Amino acid sequence: MGFIDSFELAIKNPQEYEKIIQSSHHVIMSFGGMFLLMLFLKFIFDENKDTHWVKYIESFATKLSKVGDIKALFIMFLMLVITYVAPNEVVMGEQLVTVNKLEILVPMIIGVIAFYLLELLKGVIELKTDSNDSKVTELSGGFISFMYLEVIDMSFSLDGVLGAFAITQNVVIIMLGLGIGAMAVRSLTIFMVEREV
C-alpha cells in the first residue's frame, strides 16, 4: 500500500488502519527498539567518556569497552535470544495470529545496520574536518546530526503511533499529538545545547 492509499485509509476507515498498524507491531518495535538500544549501548560502552550518570555501571562498562566491541557481541546475542523466545502465535484483537520469527529478526538487523551506517557517515565526515573548507564540514556535520535526530524521532514516533490508538482512532489528533511531542523534544534539545548541559 502506498503513502496516499494508506493516508486515505487512515482518514476514511481508521478501524481498519488500526488493525493493519497493530498487525505490524512486532516489526515496528523490532526496528525501533534495536536502533535505540544501539544508541544506549554506544553511550554506556564509550571508552572516552569521563562523565558518568550511574558511576558504578558506567565505569565498569567503560573498562569493558576497552577489551573490544562488546556492544556488537551483546546485540547479536540479544537478537538470538529474542528470536528464540518470541512466541510463534499472538492474540491480535480476537484472533490468534501466527508470527513468522523472521519478521522480528530482520527488522532488528535493519535497525543495527541503520545505526552502523549513521556511525559510518559520521566517521567519514569527521575525516573531512581536516580540510580547509569549514563551510562544507559544518554542512555535512549538520546533515549527519539531522539524520541521527530524524531516525531517533522516527523510532519514538512509531512507538507513539501504536500507543496513540489506545486513546483515539482519529489520525489528525494522533498527528497533532506526535507533532507537539516532537517540537517539545526538539525545544528541549536546543535548550540543553545552548546551556551546554
Side-chain angles (χ1 to χ4, degrees), residues 34 73-87 101 104-105 108:
M34 204 50 63
L73 180 65
F74 176 78
I75 259 338
M76 284 187 267
F77 180 73
L78 184 65
M79 285 192 295
L80 183 67
V81 169
I82 289 172
T83 306
Y84 180 76
V85 172
K101 290 195 178 189
I104 297 169
L105 180 62
M108 286 193 291

Side-chain angles (χ1 to χ4, degrees), residues 4-89:
I4 294 170
D5 294 333
S6 62
F7 187 76
E8 281 181 5
L9 181 67
I11 298 295
K12 294 177 182 172
N13 192 351
Q15 290 85 9
E16 185 63 27
Y17 185 75
E18 181 184 5
K19 280 183 191 173
I20 292 170
I21 292 290
Q22 292 291 351
S23 68
S24 36
H25 177 267
H26 56 290
V27 176
I28 294 168
M29 292 299 126
S30 298
F31 169 80
M34 204 50 63
F35 181 82
L36 293 174
L37 182 60
M38 287 300 294
L39 280 175
F40 172 73
L41 291 176
K42 179 188 173 200
F43 172 77
I44 290 292
F45 291 109
D46 184 2
E47 60 188 63
N48 300 319
K49 185 172 61 163
D50 52 358
T51 303
H52 302 299
W53 292 8
V54 184
K55 189 167 179 123
Y56 177 73
I57 295 170
E58 291 182 56
S59 59
F60 176 73
T62 302
K63 288 176 190 168
L64 201 59
S65 67
K66 293 177 181 172
V67 175
D69 195 1
I70 299 296
K71 68 179 174 288
L73 180 65
F74 176 78
I75 259 338
M76 284 187 267
F77 180 73
L78 184 65
M79 285 192 295
L80 183 67
V81 169
I82 289 172
T83 306
Y84 180 76
V85 172
N88 293 321
E89 295 179 326

Side-chain angles (χ1 to χ4, degrees), residues 15 71 92 124 145 162:
Q15 290 85 9
K71 68 179 174 288
M92 288 187 190
V124 167
S145 298
L162 293 168

Side-chain angles (χ1 to χ4, degrees), residues 95-109:
Q95 295 179 332
L96 189 65
V97 179
T98 303
V99 174
N100 182 354
K101 290 195 178 189
L102 277 178
E103 291 178 350
I104 297 169
L105 180 62
V106 171
M108 286 193 291
I109 292 170

